[in-house]
Amino acid sequence: MDARPDGGTTTDAQLDEIAKVNPKVLNGLLLGVYSTMYTVGSGGTTDHSDFGQKGVDITLDLLSSDMAYTANNYGWYNAVTQLSATPNFANNENYKPWRYYYKIILGANSVIDALGGTDAVLVDQEAKNVMGQAKGLRAYAYFYLSQMYQISYKADELILPIYKDAKSNNQPKSKASEVYDLMISDLTQSIAYLEGYNRSAKFNFDKNVAKGFLAYVYAARGETNDLAKIVALTTDILAAYPLTTKSQSTAVLANGVLTNSDSGFNNVNTPSWMWGVDLTNAINLDLISWWGQMDYYTYSYSWAGDPKGIDRDLLLSIPTTDIRRTQFSASSFRPLGKFFDPKRVIGGQRIVETDYIYMRSDEFLLLNAEANAKLNNDGAAITSLKKLLAIRFASASDYAYVDALGGNLLKDEIYKQMRIELWGEGKIYLAMKRNKRSSVRATNHLNLKGQAFTFDDPRLSFLIPQQEILNNPFID
């Protein structure tokens, strides 16, 4: 029986039994891995900020400083925003993501083992579809670990233990280059195996989700010869998915009544959503959820006393002709027009049925612009950027200024548009690191207001947790 980084154990007998089942049964095991992404306590704690990927997203948004923690009555994110949690390897903020992502890896590896292992060459299409998803999930978990537990990409730095199967004993840390090579291999095969796969729900990996993560891996590695690959991958994605419309991007009210039911970032069926999950009453999420921590119209912490809002200076930098400015309250800075339960009753939604978004097409339009700008293809970068701004601004004259941008000024503008467009979606921390950006906290932050932080400030990255160091003799 082997101890695992996720805190669980897997016996050889259990894995041998798994290996006897067919792909249809393995789909059931995959469902369990996917459910870990929104399960309360999947990071191994009883913290009310421990609820899978979206719990990590809030932490990363707060560390980027674009999300402001504006009041503290319950304290779940107070130490994060004080930057006192991440420097302490015994703090749960270092443990939760480690435990969560290695739990995803263990589950994915169990499926991979049952199909013959990492190096298996499959012929049956149904088996390929299962393997493609499992390898995609493994790469997704290693991607976030690599972004959070390494300050910036250095190929020879030892960063993470690699597990390619569910039977291995504790492993030492591998070089960053080896972790990235595994992610690229997994995602490349995931794309190939998921060709032609029609998923039954958007929580499943498909080839475009895999392409999205492969583009992010290349972007995080930061090598010039990867930029053209990013452009190609994002172009493929944009051919498959439309952008988020103006109506979908923000609430439009008439006498306080919502007039556009497609707004609120609360419906997995939104055409621009590439990856997400349909949360239903049967799943029974309530207080401990992303919506509980973020939405004024959900009965939980955001309503009751721990509001999170946009950084004041970022909000004020959004022109009044940009519809995204209406996503936020001008007085409280809350995202009252971006993320909300459609009933819009203050503190009203108790059992969460508003959906979780993990990935949408618009982020890859911006990544396409970023990669083109880094290739000095300014014209192509501007074309991509203007496709988004045409949907967000009132008229073409409002964003005509981008035509005159080039070089670093264009890169600055693309990064700013990422910060505005993807606010609250857990993606700006990733962009901050790969673009080596700094941040300054505005006056509406409760903690460390007015202070500046560089992307490589050690407090913005995570430490391997104490539990791993105690349990894994190869890590110190």
Side-chain angles (χ1 to χ4, degrees), residues 154-172:
K154 296 176 183 175
D156 291 334
E157 184 177 5
L158 299 174
I159 60 169
L160 300 168
I162 288 177
Y163 296 91
K164 295 183 181 180
D165 59 63
K167 297 181 180 181
S168 297
N169 292 317
N170 289 317
Q171 296 295 305

Side-chain angles (χ1 to χ4, degrees), residues 13 41 105 111-112 189 213 218 232 256 260 270 309 311 358 362 454 471:
I105 290 164
V111 175
I112 291 167
Q189 187 165 75
F213 275 111
Y218 284 137
N260 54 333
T270 304
D311 177 270
Y358 300 137
D362 311 76
T454 58
N471 293 326

